[in-house]
Amino acid sequence: MIDTAPLLEMRGIVKSFPGVQALRGVNLTLHAGEVLALLGENGAGKSTLMKVLGGADHADQGGILIDGREIPFHSLKDSRSAGVAVIYQEFNLVPSLTASENLFLGHEITRGGFVARNQERRSATELFKRLGVEIEIDTPCRRLSTAQQQLVEIAKALAFDARIIVMDEPSATLTSYEVGRLFEIIRDLKRQGIGIIYISHRLDEIAAIADRVTVLRDGKNVGDRPIKQITRNEMIELMVGRDLKDEFPKRNSMIGATRLEATGLRRGRTVQNVSLTVRRGEILALTGLVGAGRTETVRLIFGADARDAGTIRLDGKELTIRSPKEAISLGIGLLTEDRKLQGLILKHSVRENFGLPNLTWLSHRGFVRQSRERRELDHYIGLLKIKVSNQEQISNHLSGGNQQKVVLSKWLARNCEVLIFDEPTRGIDVGAKYEIYLLMNELAAAGKAIIMISSEFPEVLGMADRILVMHEGRVTGEINDVRQATQEQIMQLAMS
Amino acid sequence: MKLTFPRFFADYGMVFVLLLLCAFFSAKTYKEQSPTGEAAAKDVAAAILEDFKNAPRVLIVTSEQPGDAAFSKKLERDLLASGVRILGIAKGEPKDAREALQKIVTASEKLEAIACTQVTGGWLLFSDLKTSFPALGEPKVITPKTYRWPDFLKSDNLLNIANQIAVIAIVAIGMTLVIITGGIDLSVGSLLALSAVLAAKFIRDFAGGMTATPMGMLLACVVSILLCGVVGLFSGLMITRFGIPPFIVTLAMMLVGSGLAYIIAKGQSIYQISDSFVWLGRGADFFELPNAVVLMLILYALAHILMSRMKQGRYLYAVGGNREAARLSGVPVQRVLMFAYIASALLAGLGGVIMASQLKSGSPTYGTMYELYVIAAVVVGGTSLSGGEGKMFGTLTGAFTIAVIQNGMNLTDVESYTQKVVLGLVILGAVLLDRNRHRA
């Protein structure tokens, strides 16, 4: 392998956008049958580099070599014919088309101008067999689970004989079990000589699956080492450029009286008789596998969905919450799991997003007090260290971590007494994660009641005062002594 | 915030386009103009007084064109005040002028000057006065001085544009609200007709018809507009409670509204209305601005304040930007949508009343295709059909752009079929310009 040219070599890639130099001469090599983990904080340039590789963006300078030969990368087509497949976080599947139709979308097998459906279906079956997965090929993709959709994406890559597959945060929405299956498939692809670029923030996964790590910071290479020669802490240090003593900040809990109490919550089959309490100054973690009904439960508390049964009490007083508006006016805030679809209005400015839940108190007789609004936002931009050029910046242009901070600022300004964080650190970089942990601790110290939904067990163990584990719409366990708890113990409860 | 040029151009691009169009049509219609009415009278009076120092004898000759009455009245007053002797005023055709001249000859008077309008000054009669009326002496024919100015920029024409666009522009306010929430309202054209018919019918049947009092007419208009609001309420309920797409709901209401208008009017135009009803549509009480235009400007100012300063405005943008995110931030999404559709229907109703007033009748044929012109005005003004973005003054600019193009083409004698083609292309061009803005 050593004397052959690498499968892929990217040399001195430079790319700038108006006002930002995203890549400043990045190099990357990938060998056949290798899994390369591409690491970096959000905004380090990983996504841009992969967009250049995928042909979605055109590099200002630098070259891309496949098998040692330089190849022009100007379009998606160029990239595809070079054998590159990029699987983005947001899948490129048409929800209404079947798995098999999606596989061949744009490259239909035709005979005499007609789509040869049976031949397509045979090839699809074969591809899924090669991946060792069972997916009903005639199911519309909207009915497939996230994990299954991801497999369709991988199969799509194989359908046109991709030799390089890029996976951007493939595990973000998968359960641990599904991640295990994914890794088996990745190992299988390796054996077939396919090179894989694996992007993830989950360092444990990288240690488990990658052969080599390339770390980017501020659009530059800062490290490239075999996985055996790097520790988890070294990876973090390379990414953030400083050493991080602890992933989770310490704190002394001061837990008070019961604040919010929900009993017997029900909604269809997703939430079945869930009860929970959270006290002042407490961080309650709600964990489990994806699809366990955690988000659905808190949406009932927040009034985002109607509940079939169940009572909610705040400080012992029963509430009739029927809409988020009512929940908010009672002092309950929900930071949604999906900030792009539910947390923010991406095409609107930071200020407009910030103001939204706060206009009720930021306005007088229907008129918004704009100078007050600007002052408040300035305060939170400083407090949360949100990196924005000005308040009118469009939120779509911010990095994931900064977007999450804007969402946070919205709810902090509302001064909610009960705050529900749904996957607050998903898809954001280590530095921003730490800041969000610190903030949650401060809120708890100020006597707020906090419910944190998280699928990352280390985070749950590191942050929570008490843990509630859910499985298939029911609470399957409660862990009061978090210090003695282990990931295995949570996993047991989550799978039972 | 620093405004760089491209950014500035992107934000105000449509205003530039509008100004360019105005400049283009001004250049195209630049030609010899002659004043009419009082302005012409002043001009002629000054010329006579300058040429003849001591009490000249003058004959005033006008035809029967609009403004000629004002011309002769003003001229007579000015000349008499300066001690000029007026030997006669001829109105009408050359033969009337000939008679007047004959009378002067019969009275054995001499004549120093003949004051004419631009038109009468050109009559053949005056070109050989020496031979046909030698007894008059040598009277000088005086006409108003001509000057060069574009037809397009004459104040009459500009007011005309504003007046023509007032109805569309007012209805477009409501459409902008609806489109900003991510919806569409196809029913405005029909509601316009419905409201015009209702107002005309109420005035004819209940408020006294030809002798209706202002109070009665006001009441008739308010009730008609409110009834349109009820239709908007119904559309809003269908959209919010039953989740039917706005396109379908308002398409249905477009048919229902139009049908109702025909039924109520029995397929006819209702015109038995008091003359004073035209006050709203044709009157001009403030600085010679038509009342409809004044009303339009007030409504735009209010809508601008709503969208930029008020909570409700922010909610409208939020609902269109991302409905779920807005709901989870505590925005009462359904109430906001109801507001938009009711406002749109009320404004369509108001548009109908103004149109009925302009035309002094109510007919179910009013407002045909108006929904499309209104949507065009909104889109040309830079509001995105996907919702969450757009500016009120953009819509006003859009409405004016469309009006200026139509008016300019009328002035330059482009036939109406070609006008449609051009207008269609302009709408496409405007949206392209807007797309570029979003890329930038």
Side-chain angles (χ1 to χ4, degrees):
Chain A
M1 235 172 50
I2 287 169
D3 39 64
T4 56
L7 176 60
L8 166 74
E9 190 174 0
M10 299 179 84
R11 277 189 195 160
I13 305 289
V14 174
K15 172 78 193 172
S16 48
F17 297 106
V20 194
Q21 181 143 29
L23 298 175
R24 310 159 187 252
V26 174
N27 301 315
L28 180 145
T29 52
L30 175 71
H31 295 276
E34 181 186 44
V35 175
L36 171 73
L38 187 58
L39 275 181
E41 289 191 300
N42 286 337
K46 294 168 306 191
S47 301
T48 311
L49 187 66
M50 290 306 107
K51 277 188 182 155
V52 169
L53 183 60
D57 271 334
H58 184 50
D60 302 335
Q61 280 175 48
I64 299 176
L65 289 77
I66 303 278
D67 294 329
R69 279 190 309 126
E70 179 144 4
I71 283 179
F73 268 69
H74 296 303
S75 66
L76 295 166
K77 225 181 128 203
D78 285 344
S79 156
R80 213 177 163 142
S81 56
V84 177
V86 181
I87 300 172
Y88 294 102
Q89 248 171 300
E90 291 86 15
F91 300 139
N92 276 321
L93 298 175
V94 182
S96 57
L97 296 185
T98 66
S100 135
E101 282 166 340
N102 265 298
L103 275 187
F104 298 100
L105 191 63
H107 302 267
E108 285 79 5
I109 304 175
T110 55
R111 195 175 295 147
F114 292 94
V115 174
R117 282 202 62 201
N118 285 330
Q119 203 178 327
E120 280 194 352
R121 295 175 68 243
R122 267 201 305 280
S123 310
T125 316
E126 218 167 276
L127 276 167
F128 285 130
K129 206 184 277 171
R130 188 172 147 199
L131 283 173
V133 295
E134 277 168 29
I135 289 176
E136 178 51 56
I137 54 169
D138 292 328
T139 316
C141 278
R142 99 170 82 77
R143 301 233 306 268
L144 296 176
S145 71
T146 315
Q148 287 175 319
Q149 292 190 22
Q150 190 167 54
L151 292 169
V152 174
E153 283 276 8
I154 295 173
K156 227 169 107 181
L158 297 178
F160 70 92
D161 291 321
R163 298 164 60 210
I164 299 162
I165 300 181
V166 180
M167 298 185 184
D168 191 358
E169 292 276 358
S171 60
T173 49
L174 299 186
T175 62
S176 309
Y177 173 72
E178 289 164 338
V179 171
R181 288 290 308 275
L182 177 69
F183 283 2
E184 280 170 33
I185 289 165
I186 289 177
R187 290 194 188 101
D188 198 45
L189 294 173
K190 271 174 70 171
R191 276 193 289 278
Q192 297 173 32
I194 291 171
I196 290 164
I197 299 177
Y198 191 96
I199 301 175
S200 178
H201 285 116
R202 299 185 177 175
L203 301 181
D204 301 331
E205 285 176 8
I206 285 167
I209 192 73
D211 300 309
R212 199 157 50 84
V213 186
T214 292
V215 188
L216 299 184
R217 190 169 70 226
D218 299 330
K220 281 181 290 204
N221 293 81
V222 289
D224 186 338
R225 280 189 233 168
I227 196 75
K228 301 258 159 55
Q229 296 169 23
I230 186 166
T231 64
R232 187 190 160 88
N233 278 345
E234 282 171 333
M235 286 193 244
I236 296 177
E237 278 164 31
L238 280 175
M239 276 161 67
V240 297
R242 65 195 140 87
D243 58 328
L244 210 73
K245 283 229 173 55
D246 207 337
E247 271 185 79
F248 303 102
K250 299 226 179 337
R251 86 185 153 103
N252 296 318
S253 313
M254 296 273 289
I255 296 173
T258 297
R259 192 89 217 223
L260 182 90
E261 183 179 9
T263 39
L265 292 178
R266 279 176 193 281
R267 179 180 165 86
R269 292 181 54 197
T270 52
V271 181
Q272 302 177 33
N273 198 17
V274 173
S275 301
L276 62 84
T277 56
V278 57
R279 293 169 286 183
R280 285 171 192 272
E282 183 182 46
I283 298 181
L284 169 74
L286 201 54
T287 189
L289 305 177
V290 172
R294 301 162 303 171
T295 300
E296 290 77 1
T297 302
V298 297
R299 279 175 68 92
L300 297 186
I301 296 174
F302 190 59
D305 296 318
R307 54 184 194 272
D308 300 338
T311 53
I312 299 164
R313 287 197 176 81
L314 189 67
D315 294 328
K317 226 178 73 195
E318 187 164 341
L319 309 175
T320 54
I321 298 174
R322 274 168 319 182
S323 70
K325 186 176 152 59
E326 290 173 40
I328 292 166
S329 68
L330 290 165
I332 302 175
L334 170 66
L335 285 84
T336 54
E337 131 190 66
D338 189 333
R339 43 177 185 270
K340 292 195 178 202
L341 289 180
Q342 301 180 334
L344 286 176
I345 301 174
L346 290 178
K347 57 175 126 172
H348 288 178
S349 70
V350 170
R351 180 178 58 81
E352 285 168 299
N353 272 296
F354 168 79
L356 214 45
N358 296 304
L359 289 182
T360 39
W361 66 274
L362 278 176
S363 60
H364 181 66
R365 296 184 188 210
F367 284 87
V368 180
R369 296 164 162 172
Q370 295 187 328
S371 55
R372 178 85 194 273
E373 183 186 31
R374 290 207 177 84
R375 269 205 315 279
E376 288 286 335
L377 176 54
D378 260 337
H379 170 72
Y380 285 102
I381 286 176
L383 184 77
L384 300 176
K385 303 193 196 80
I386 309 178
K387 280 178 209 139
V388 290
S389 53
N390 62 65
Q391 298 194 350
E392 305 305 319
Q393 196 172 359
I394 302 299
S395 15
N396 198 19
H397 299 162
L398 300 177
S399 72
N402 277 314
Q403 282 179 347
Q404 186 68 315
K405 286 180 180 176
V406 174
V407 176
L408 258 170
S409 72
K410 257 167 75 162
W411 295 107
L412 290 184
R414 195 68 180 73
N415 201 16
C416 295
E417 287 303 314
V418 178
L419 272 167
I420 306 171
F421 291 79
D422 195 352
E423 301 283 5
T425 60
R426 168 176 296 169
I428 67 178
D429 57 64
V430 179
K433 263 186 191 176
Y434 192 80
E435 287 173 33
I436 286 173
Y437 293 144
L438 268 180
L439 197 91
M440 287 170 72
N441 284 348
E442 275 171 35
L443 289 168
K448 314 269 184 205
I450 293 178
I451 301 175
M452 176 184 79
I453 296 181
S454 174
S455 303
E456 290 186 45
F457 298 156
E459 177 174 277
V460 169
L461 291 170
M463 289 298 297
D465 295 309
R466 197 153 52 86
I467 301 170
L468 225 49
V469 189
M470 284 184 72
H471 176 66
E472 291 186 345
R474 295 172 204 279
V475 176
T476 48
E478 181 171 352
I479 300 172
N480 283 308
D481 191 358
V482 176
R483 244 173 271 174
Q484 304 300 320
T486 62
Q487 294 196 40
E488 289 68 30
Q489 191 186 350
I490 299 177
M491 193 47 134
Q492 288 274 324
L493 293 167
M495 310 263 299
S496 60
Chain B
M1 245 200 319
K2 216 175 80 182
L3 273 180
T4 54
F5 180 72
R7 174 100 196 122
F8 182 78
F9 183 78
D11 278 359
Y12 297 95
M14 221 44 232
V15 178
F16 276 122
V17 172
L18 180 59
L19 291 177
L20 275 177
L21 280 169
C22 290
F24 173 76
F25 285 124
S26 300
K28 274 291 253 197
T29 59
Y30 188 68
K31 62 181 180 203
E32 196 100 296
Q33 304 283 354
S34 49
T36 56
E38 297 201 342
K42 256 188 215 163
D43 196 45
V44 171
I48 290 173
L49 294 175
E50 199 188 302
D51 282 8
F52 308 99
K53 300 292 177 224
N54 32 13
R57 287 160 291 185
V58 176
L59 171 71
I60 299 174
V61 181
T62 68
S63 60
E64 271 163 2
Q65 294 204 325
D68 279 12
F71 171 79
S72 75
K73 216 161 132 198
K74 167 86 175 160
L75 186 58
E76 189 182 0
R77 208 168 51 223
D78 280 14
L79 291 179
L80 285 176
S82 316
V84 173
R85 281 181 59 208
I86 295 174
L87 296 186
I89 298 175
K91 253 178 225 159
E93 294 172 35
K95 76 171 168 47
D96 301 308
R98 187 178 294 275
E99 270 168 28
L101 288 169
Q102 198 59 54
K103 232 185 249 169
I104 294 167
V105 173
T106 324
S108 29
E109 285 273 11
K110 292 241 189 265
L111 201 55
E112 271 78 38
I114 304 175
C116 292
T117 64
Q118 190 63 31
V119 175
T120 58
W123 286 349
L124 273 177
L125 167 71
F126 300 125
S127 59
D128 57 345
L129 278 176
K130 252 188 240 167
T131 46
S132 45
F133 295 98
L136 281 178
E138 280 185 16
K140 196 171 163 192
V141 175
I142 293 173
T143 55
K145 260 200 261 49
T146 62
Y147 57 99
R148 294 184 70 79
W149 187 252
D151 273 349
F152 178 81
L153 285 184
K154 282 159 84 174
S155 64
D156 284 352
N157 187 54
L158 293 178
L159 284 180
N160 188 21
I161 292 176
N163 218 3
Q164 274 180 352
I165 204 62
V167 170
I168 286 185
I170 286 173
V171 180
I173 293 175
M175 187 66 83
T176 309
L177 297 179
V178 168
I179 290 182
I180 281 176
T181 67
I184 192 99
D185 189 350
L186 297 176
S187 66
V188 292
S190 296
L191 289 183
L192 195 142
L194 182 63
S195 150
V197 165
L198 281 174
K201 187 183 164 69
F202 288 150
I203 292 173
R204 185 189 66 186
D205 296 352
F206 304 114
M210 310 289 277
T211 56
T213 60
M215 207 51 214
M217 289 191 288
L218 180 68
L219 201 64
C221 293
V222 169
V223 172
S224 315
I225 293 170
L226 288 179
L227 284 174
C228 284
V230 172
V231 178
L233 178 89
F234 180 77
S235 301
L237 282 175
M238 285 290 143
I239 291 160
T240 54
R241 303 283 152 184
F242 299 102
I244 308 175
F247 188 95
I248 314 268
V249 172
T250 57
L251 179 71
M253 293 327 285
M254 168 174 131
L255 294 171
V256 170
S258 176
L260 284 177
Y262 274 95
I263 293 168
I264 291 166
K266 300 199 171 71
Q268 312 250 306
S269 173
I270 301 174
Y271 54 85
Q272 298 87 339
I273 300 178
S274 159
D275 284 341
S276 57
F277 184 55
V278 302
W279 174 82
L280 179 61
R282 297 191 206 159
D285 290 350
F286 309 93
F287 308 107
E288 294 181 35
L289 278 173
N291 293 336
V293 174
V294 173
L295 184 59
M296 173 191 84
L297 293 175
I298 292 173
L299 287 172
Y300 267 92
L302 292 177
H304 175 73
I305 291 171
L306 169 76
M307 294 315 281
S308 61
R309 302 269 147 182
M310 299 190 69
K311 187 170 77 171
Q312 184 75 351
R314 294 275 293 271
Y315 282 177
L316 284 160
Y317 281 114
V319 167
N322 182 338
R323 194 189 288 202
E324 185 63 6
R327 191 173 80 94
L328 294 177
S329 297
V331 175
V333 172
Q334 305 215 329
R335 242 191 292 160
V336 171
L337 286 175
M338 293 296 296
F339 171 84
Y341 286 95
I342 294 173
S344 174
L346 288 173
L347 286 162
L350 177 61
V353 166
I354 294 171
M355 198 165 201
S357 164
Q358 282 175 338
L359 302 171
K360 202 165 110 33
S361 62
S363 159
T365 56
Y366 290 175
T368 316
M369 291 266 286
Y370 264 44
E371 56 281 340
L372 299 185
Y373 284 113
V374 168
I375 293 169
V378 175
V379 171
V380 169
T383 296
S384 139
L385 277 182
S386 58
E389 287 170 300
K391 294 261 183 308
M392 272 302 159
F393 284 128
T395 299
L396 188 59
T397 315
F400 266 96
T401 306
I402 290 174
V404 161
I405 291 168
Q406 279 182 325
N407 175 274
M409 287 192 294
N410 279 333
L411 291 180
T412 48
D413 293 326
V414 178
E415 58 163 0
S416 69
Y417 306 136
T418 318
Q419 287 192 13
K420 276 194 177 178
V421 175
V422 172
L423 203 58
L425 295 177
V426 165
I427 292 168
L428 266 187
V431 176
L432 272 180
L433 190 90
D434 194 50
R435 272 180 69 90
N436 276 337
R437 180 169 76 107
H438 284 283
R439 287 237 192 89

